[in-house]
């Protein structure tokens, strides 16, 4: 029954397909063909051809989660249809053709472990079986949530889906003849005509998305999940969509599904899956958490065993196993403390612990205390590189659209026409990077410089909620996506206490951030300049002058930080005097703007030098 090979999507006879078994080495690939016959639930049947090899052992939990496949495999071994191979010692071999309910069922029988037959059965030219299904999109398998536990008060999961091997979508008003592969544009017109005034504008938008996902985006081999009775049930779509008459009108659109034998208690699910299940839609794309779904019910040892035996991944891991890697923040060591000239590595470790606990932190203090530099260096160290750190600077005109997402004018590269398009801001870009598959255990950092200079309520919008509730999602204003801040995204802000806009930082923001002071009166800032001067081989007199200056400033929020004097240009001839006159004194003039006294007489180098008992600013030069 090998037939003549047809192109993907052809209605003609499909070719012979091959399956590479895990750890097979020199063992031949199994052979099979897709049959025209259809099972009771609508799945296309699949025939394993005689002489195909099979693995002689099973995954330990196979019989628990895939009881039907395990029973069939055991029966074939008892009957001698799957028997010890003489060609491949240590393997089994099919003594005759074996007809199975679906390609995935056939692959599971041969491997003794769950397999996506629509992807794993391939032609000699390496084209997957799913590409030969009419009206089915090519591409990798996806995961979906379809709700069925409360369809007009009925639990279809237990009454229809699991007993009959199906998943369905209620569409009682949908006209006949709207089949698999229909375009979204066509569906918009159909929904508008068929539902008319019985649905609101938003309800029609939801209907179009649900119908398009069910009819056109889902394909055989995709994973489907549903909730019922406090458990998550997982299955694999095993055939095309069909429209059928339903007396109750609750299951007009159906797809065949091979459900796993047992569900998974909701309380035991990974938080990443729970977050996505909270989305308030009937059909939800769960592909972003597919590795977590693939690992449900399997131990680390089972996943590791599969990774070793799977020749497709020479790294010895799988996405499901990688998804279990825990997020970690490196513990700062003395090397980082020396680089930052911190007085004690323990202070850096405390900051690291605050970030781990709170996810958000603000360095605050007077100007020149190294807030931004410390934030950047710490983030690059904890994140493992500059590529995982993004910096933005707030200002009075900064908005939500700048920060997260909004419609921005963009030029079409082909036509040159300018149109408004939804554009991601720095936070959305970094969140998308942090939540990308394989990145969940890697810390990513957003540095917000001068965080208090913007209207924070306007900039953050609904993100205020997400800063506090990292395990929850919200519907976004512009895109309408369900969005959550990934747990591996950390935020470090800097705040200049000399800036009067600090009053804009409301109690809601203060509650969501840990605050760490960087002040010239406390370590690590207090002795920073003296440590830097010693490392550079300069005289310590500038540190004495800065201490004397800050002792004369009554308001702690307006103290002068050491960064102004931590430049080699300051310590050339005349550099200290020039820096004092052009950078430090103007700051103090602004502070005392409404007061009538001589700034230079109180804060100038001459006055400070005399208080220290030397001859003036030249004496302080190196």
């Amino acid at each position: 029954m090998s037939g003549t090979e047809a192109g993907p999507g052809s209605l003609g006879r499909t070719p012979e397909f091959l399956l590479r078994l895990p750890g097979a080495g020199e063992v031949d690939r199994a052979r099979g063909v897709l049959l025209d016959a259809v099972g009771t639930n609508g799945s296309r049947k699949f025939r394993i051809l005689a002489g195909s090899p099979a693995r002689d052992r099973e995954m330990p939990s196979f019989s628990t989660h895939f009881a039907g496949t395990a029973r069939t495999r055991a029966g074939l071994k008892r009957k001698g249809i799957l028997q010890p191979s003489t060609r491949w010692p240590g393997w089994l071999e099919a003594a005759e053709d074996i007809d199975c309910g679906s390609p995935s069922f056939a692959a599971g029988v041969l491997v003794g472990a769950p397999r996506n037959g629509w992807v794993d059965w391939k032609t000699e030219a390496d084209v997957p079986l799913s590409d030969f299904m009419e009206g089915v999109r090519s591409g990798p398998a996806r995961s979906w949530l379809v709700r069925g536990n409360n369809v007009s008060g009925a639990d279809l999961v237990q009454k229809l889906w699991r007993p009959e091997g199906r998943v369905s979508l209620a569409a009682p008003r949908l006209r006949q003849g709207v089949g698999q592969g229909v375009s979204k544009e066509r569906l918009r017109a159909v929904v508008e005509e068929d539902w008319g005034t019985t649905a609101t504008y938003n309800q029609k938008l939801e209907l179009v998305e649900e119908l398009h996902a069910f009819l056109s985006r889902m394909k055989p081999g995709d994973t489907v999940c549903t909730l019922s009775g406090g458990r998550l049930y997982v299955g694999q779509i095993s055939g095309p969509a069909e429209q059928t008459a339903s007396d109750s009108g609750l299951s007009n659109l159906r797809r065949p599904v091979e459900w796993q034998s047992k569900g998974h208690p909701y309380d035991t699910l990974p938080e990443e899956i729970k977050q996505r299940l909270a989305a308030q839609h009937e059909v939800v794309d769960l592909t972003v958490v597919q590795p977590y779904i693939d690992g449900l019910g399997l131990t680390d040892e089972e996943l590791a065993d599969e990774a070793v035996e799977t020749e497709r991944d020479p790294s010895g891991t799988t996405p499901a196993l990688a998804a279990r890697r825990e997020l970690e923040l490196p513990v700062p060591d003395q090397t980082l403390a020396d680089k930052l000239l911190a007085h004690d590595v323990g202070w850096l470790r405390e900051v690291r612990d605050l970030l781990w606990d709170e996810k958000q932190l603000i360095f605050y203090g007077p100007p020149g205390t190294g807030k931004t530099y410390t934030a950047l260096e710490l983030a690059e160290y904890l994140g493992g590189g500059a590529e995982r750190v993004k910096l933005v600077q707030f200002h009075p005109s900064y908005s939500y659209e700048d920060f997260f997402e909004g419609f921005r004018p963009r030029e079409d590269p082909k036509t040159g026409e300018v149109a408004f398009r939804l554009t991601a801001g720095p936070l959305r870009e970094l969140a998308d990077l942090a939540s990308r598959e394989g990145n969940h255990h890697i810390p990513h950092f957003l540095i917000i410089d001068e965080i208090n200079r913007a209207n924070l309520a306007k900039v953050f919008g609904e993100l205020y909620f997400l800063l506090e509730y990292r395990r929850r999602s919200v519907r976004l204003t512009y895109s309408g996506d369900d969005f959550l801040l990934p747990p591996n995204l950390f935020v470090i802000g800097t705040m200049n206490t000399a800036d009067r806009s600090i009053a804009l930082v409301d109690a809601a923001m203060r509650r969501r951030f840990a605050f760490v002071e960087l002040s010239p009166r406390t370590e690590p800032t207090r002795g920073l300049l003296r440590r830097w001067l010693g490392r550079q081989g300069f005289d310590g007199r500038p540190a004495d002058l800065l201490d004397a200056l800050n002792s004369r400033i009554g308001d702690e929020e307006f103290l002068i930080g050491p960064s102004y004097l931590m430049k080699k240009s300051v310590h050339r001839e005349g550099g200290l005097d020039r820096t004092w006159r052009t950078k430090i004194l103007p700051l103090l003039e602004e502070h005392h703007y409404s007061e009538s006294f001589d700034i230079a007489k109180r804060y100038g180098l001459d006055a400070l030098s005399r208080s220290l008992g030397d001859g003036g600013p030249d004496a302080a030069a190196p």
Side-chain angles (χ1 to χ4, degrees):
M1 293 190 64
S2 61
T4 302
E5 181 160 338
S10 170
L11 290 174
R13 300 178 70 186
T14 58
E16 182 176 286
F17 294 97
L18 306 175
L19 176 71
R20 187 181 300 278
L21 302 177
E26 299 299 322
V27 175
D28 290 351
R29 286 184 286 179
R31 298 161 42 245
V33 292
L34 189 66
L35 302 179
D36 293 330
V38 177
T40 56
N41 68 344
S43 298
R44 286 279 293 274
K45 293 187 176 182
F46 192 88
R47 175 172 292 161
I48 300 170
L49 299 182
S52 293
R55 203 162 64 153
D56 66 341
R57 63 190 184 89
E58 299 177 357
M59 176 184 290
S61 60
F62 187 56
S63 60
T64 300
H65 298 291
F66 300 88
T69 314
R71 284 195 300 269
T72 298
R73 178 179 161 90
L76 292 171
K77 291 169 69 174
R78 282 196 308 271
K79 296 175 182 178
I81 298 175
L82 276 182
Q83 60 185 13
S85 175
T86 56
R87 287 191 290 173
W88 306 297
W91 289 77
L92 302 177
E93 186 175 342
E96 59 185 66
D97 290 351
I98 304 171
D99 286 356
C100 300
S102 73
S104 293
F105 193 97
V109 165
L110 294 175
V111 176
R115 279 295 181 271
N116 188 338
W118 301 93
V119 175
D120 289 350
W121 286 104
K122 297 181 180 181
T123 66
E124 190 71 48
D126 214 36
V127 180
L129 188 157
S130 61
D131 283 11
F132 290 82
M133 301 295 292
E134 183 182 11
V136 173
R137 293 183 176 185
S138 60
R142 306 186 70 85
S143 292
W144 304 91
L145 167 70
V146 183
R147 299 190 188 279
N149 63 326
N150 185 12
V151 182
S152 297
D155 187 348
L156 298 185
V157 178
Q158 305 300 340
K159 292 183 178 180
L160 174 69
W161 293 6
R162 296 188 65 221
E164 297 187 9
R166 296 187 182 277
V167 66
S168 63
L169 197 64
R173 295 183 178 275
L174 185 67
R175 68 187 66 178
Q176 291 294 316
V178 180
Q180 182 170 287
V182 63
S183 69
K184 189 177 288 188
E185 290 74 14
R186 171 65 176 152
L187 279 174
R188 288 193 185 100
V190 168
V191 168
E192 184 62 40
E193 293 178 13
D194 292 0
W195 270 263
T197 58
T198 63
T200 66
Y201 172 76
N202 283 332
Q203 287 172 335
K204 291 175 184 176
L205 290 179
E206 289 285 342
L207 277 167
V208 170
E209 294 297 330
E210 292 169 6
L211 292 171
H212 186 253
F214 196 89
L215 291 171
S216 300
R217 297 184 65 198
M218 292 182 188
K219 63 180 183 295
D222 281 3
T223 299
V224 62
C225 304
T226 194
L227 288 165
S228 176
R231 303 178 78 86
L232 179 74
Y233 293 93
V234 181
Q236 188 182 94
I237 296 174
S238 56
E242 61 175 350
Q243 190 176 20
T244 184
S246 170
D247 294 338
S248 62
L250 303 182
S251 58
N252 304 76
L253 297 177
R254 299 182 179 184
R255 278 185 176 272
V257 172
E258 295 178 36
W259 292 103
Q260 294 179 16
S261 305
K262 295 185 177 181
H264 306 276
Y266 181 86
D267 292 341
T268 66
L269 299 177
E271 285 295 331
E272 289 78 6
I273 295 180
K274 291 181 180 179
Q275 292 166 4
R276 299 294 169 177
L277 296 179
Q280 297 177 346
H281 305 284
E282 294 302 307
V283 181
V284 181
D285 190 339
L286 297 179
T287 306
V288 69
V289 293
Q290 185 166 328
Y292 297 95
I293 297 172
D294 292 342
L296 290 176
L298 303 178
T299 65
D300 289 351
E301 291 73 19
E302 288 173 326
L303 291 176
D305 181 58
E306 285 296 296
V308 170
E309 293 188 345
T310 302
E311 297 176 358
R312 293 172 299 179
D313 190 350
S315 67
T317 187
T318 64
L321 190 59
R324 296 187 177 182
R325 295 182 63 181
E326 296 290 338
L327 172 66
E328 293 182 1
L329 278 183
V331 177
D333 57 16
Q334 191 59 46
T335 302
L336 180 63
D338 292 341
K339 184 176 183 180
L340 294 175
L341 293 173
H343 67 298
D344 180 15
V345 70
W347 180 84
L348 290 172
R349 291 174 179 171
E350 181 180 345
V351 172
R352 177 261 180 206
D353 291 345
L354 282 172
L355 274 170
W356 180 258
D357 294 337
E358 304 295 334
K359 304 294 186 184
Q360 295 95 223
L361 178 147
I362 287 179
F363 288 123
Y364 72 98
T369 49
K371 299 180 291 295
T372 304
Y373 177 79
T374 302
L376 283 169
E377 291 294 331
L378 186 63
E380 289 184 13
Y381 176 87
L382 296 177
E387 69 276 9
R388 301 186 184 105
V389 179
K390 185 181 287 289
L391 183 142
V392 297
Q393 188 175 59
F394 280 5
H395 50 77
S397 62
Y398 209 71
S399 67
Y400 175 92
E401 292 76 11
D402 299 313
F403 186 50
F404 191 71
E405 68 177 13
F407 287 95
R408 294 294 183 192
R410 290 288 183 269
E411 182 180 4
D412 190 306
K414 295 182 179 179
T415 65
E417 296 180 353
V418 176
F420 282 87
R421 295 182 175 85
L422 188 61
T423 304
L427 177 56
R428 183 69 194 262
E429 290 176 342
L430 189 63
D432 289 345
L433 177 63
S435 59
R436 187 177 297 173
E437 186 174 327
N439 280 355
H440 72 280
H441 64 285
I442 302 173
H444 291 69
F445 288 84
L446 179 68
I447 309 297
I448 305 177
D449 200 28
E450 305 285 2
I451 191 172
N452 53 307
R453 289 184 59 80
N455 184 333
L456 296 180
K458 176 183 177 183
V459 171
F460 278 90
E462 68 268 23
L463 305 179
Y464 256 157
F465 174 83
L466 298 182
L467 289 173
E468 188 169 5
Y469 298 97
R470 287 295 186 99
R471 298 296 183 181
R472 299 279 185 172
S473 63
V474 297
R475 180 72 63 87
L476 295 177
T477 303
Y478 287 96
S479 65
D481 295 340
D482 289 298
F483 176 81
L484 54 85
L485 280 176
N488 60 328
L489 192 154
F490 299 84
V491 181
I492 302 179
T494 70
M495 182 181 296
N496 188 347
T497 55
D499 191 330
R500 292 174 176 81
S501 61
I502 191 173
L504 298 176
V505 182
D506 58 17
M509 180 60 72
R510 294 179 187 275
R511 189 175 71 249
R512 287 163 170 80
F513 281 80
F515 283 74
V516 176
E517 183 180 17
L518 293 179
S519 169
R521 292 189 177 179
T522 59
E523 291 289 7
T525 309
R526 182 174 58 190
L528 182 60
L529 177 57
R530 201 173 299 278
R531 291 190 289 272
W532 183 84
L533 291 169
R535 176 175 293 183
Q536 300 296 325
F538 293 136
D539 185 87
R541 200 60 171 170
D544 296 334
L545 289 166
L546 185 63
D547 289 343
L549 170 68
N550 283 326
S551 68
R552 296 190 176 195
I553 300 174
D555 192 337
E556 290 190 5
E557 294 183 354
F558 290 88
L559 300 179
I560 303 300
S563 297
Y564 293 101
L565 304 181
M566 292 174 62
K567 301 175 182 178
K568 292 185 178 181
S569 60
V570 175
H571 304 278
R572 295 197 298 264
E573 184 176 357
L576 180 61
D577 179 66
R578 181 168 54 251
T579 300
W580 212 272
R581 286 185 292 103
T582 61
K583 293 189 176 181
I584 294 178
L585 291 182
L587 284 174
L588 296 170
E589 287 176 355
E590 181 181 357
H591 175 44
H592 294 288
Y593 178 74
S594 60
E595 302 175 28
S596 57
F597 70 85
D598 192 330
I599 296 293
K601 186 175 182 180
R602 181 177 178 86
Y603 301 123
L605 274 181
D606 287 339
L608 295 173
S609 296
R610 285 193 296 271
S611 72
L612 293 175
D614 61 48
D618 290 340

